[in-house]
Amino acid sequence: MINAIYGKKLGMTQLFNENDQVVPVTVIVAEPNTVCQVKTKETDGYEAVQLGFGAIKAKKVNKPMGGHFAKSGVEPTRHLREVRVESAADYKVGDTQTVEAFADVKKVHVTGTSIGKGFQGVIKRHGFAGGPGGHGAHFHRAPGSVGQCATPSRVFKGVRMPGHMGTDTVTTKNLEVVRIDAEQNLILVKGAVPGAKGGIVRVRMA
């Protein structure tokens, strides 16, 4: 079976469980994902299915993608993603993956793109302590020494330095599925998931 579904992060809210305890949850809307292409080991070298999701008008699809959808005979979608499967022969173009497949799933792995922070220094990016705040000190938020002088006369790879922070692919594992709303295509998982509101996330069965 296809063990994943793609959707969008709507935001966070809270629910009460059977013990009247407040549970923070993230709401993910996952509209039915349509199989747009089946990839087999004979034709592509690996077993996978291509899932399409997100409504889009046909006139807004460019010609190459329009030809791809026309060849498959499915409605155009805004996004395409691949999911590896054990046997692609079990699926055919036009099949759909819905949140109902997660009705009996207890925990999931959620993958998303973390919120971008732009160019940041070592204190925010790596948690460096920094220097004194006053008393004439001239060392506040600088990284400090990054290498040696004569030997090896270079900066080693991997040294923690200022740079771009965020927009990384992050997976939060073993999140508890609190509720499935098949009518509204919603998955509610306990805790936070990576990414900003409206970001694309992949929900995979743990």
Side-chain angles (χ1 to χ4, degrees):
M1 63 178 299
I2 303 175
N3 66 345
I5 190 172
Y6 285 87
K8 285 188 176 182
K9 174 182 175 180
L10 291 184
M12 294 194 69
T13 183
Q14 60 188 24
L15 300 175
F16 288 93
N17 61 13
E18 60 274 7
N19 298 323
D20 291 334
Q21 295 174 325
V22 174
V23 179
V25 295
T26 300
V27 183
I28 299 171
V29 56
E31 296 179 353
N33 290 192
T34 305
V35 176
C36 298
Q37 185 179 357
V38 176
K39 297 192 174 185
T40 62
K41 191 167 292 185
E42 292 75 19
T43 58
D44 301 278
Y46 62 98
E47 303 281 326
V49 293
Q50 185 185 75
L51 298 178
F53 59 99
I56 186 174
K57 294 181 180 178
K59 66 179 182 179
K60 291 189 175 182
V61 179
N62 60 27
K63 286 188 176 181
M65 293 308 300
H68 176 69
F69 290 119
K71 180 180 179 181
S72 301
V74 296
E75 290 293 323
T77 57
R78 188 176 296 273
H79 307 287
L80 291 175
R81 296 291 189 275
E82 277 189 12
V83 175
R84 293 289 187 104
V85 293
E86 292 184 1
S87 176
D90 298 336
Y91 310 96
K92 62 180 185 297
V93 173
D95 289 348
T96 57
Q97 172 80 332
T98 65
V99 297
E100 293 180 357
F102 292 77
D104 298 326
V105 176
K106 301 298 181 183
K107 293 191 175 183
V108 293
H109 304 324
V110 181
T111 302
T113 302
S114 61
I115 297 175
K117 306 293 184 182
F119 191 98
Q120 298 297 335
V122 291
I123 289 181
K124 183 178 180 72
R125 192 180 186 206
H126 300 296
F128 282 20
H135 297 288
H138 294 279
F139 173 64
H140 300 301
R141 300 179 69 89
S145 174
V146 294
Q148 297 76 38
C149 177
T151 305
S153 297
R154 64 187 178 87
V155 178
F156 285 120
K157 289 183 178 180
V159 173
R160 294 178 295 171
M161 298 178 71
H164 185 272
M165 182 180 176
T167 64
D168 297 316
T169 300
V170 181
T171 300
T172 304
K173 294 187 174 183
N174 296 317
L175 292 175
E176 179 184 340
V177 177
V178 178
R179 184 179 299 173
I180 298 291
D181 189 338
E183 291 185 3
Q184 302 186 65
N185 301 311
L186 299 179
I187 301 176
L188 279 67
V189 297
K190 183 178 180 180
V193 304
K197 294 179 181 178
I200 295 174
V201 295
R202 181 182 71 170
V203 183
R204 181 164 52 92
M205 301 175 186

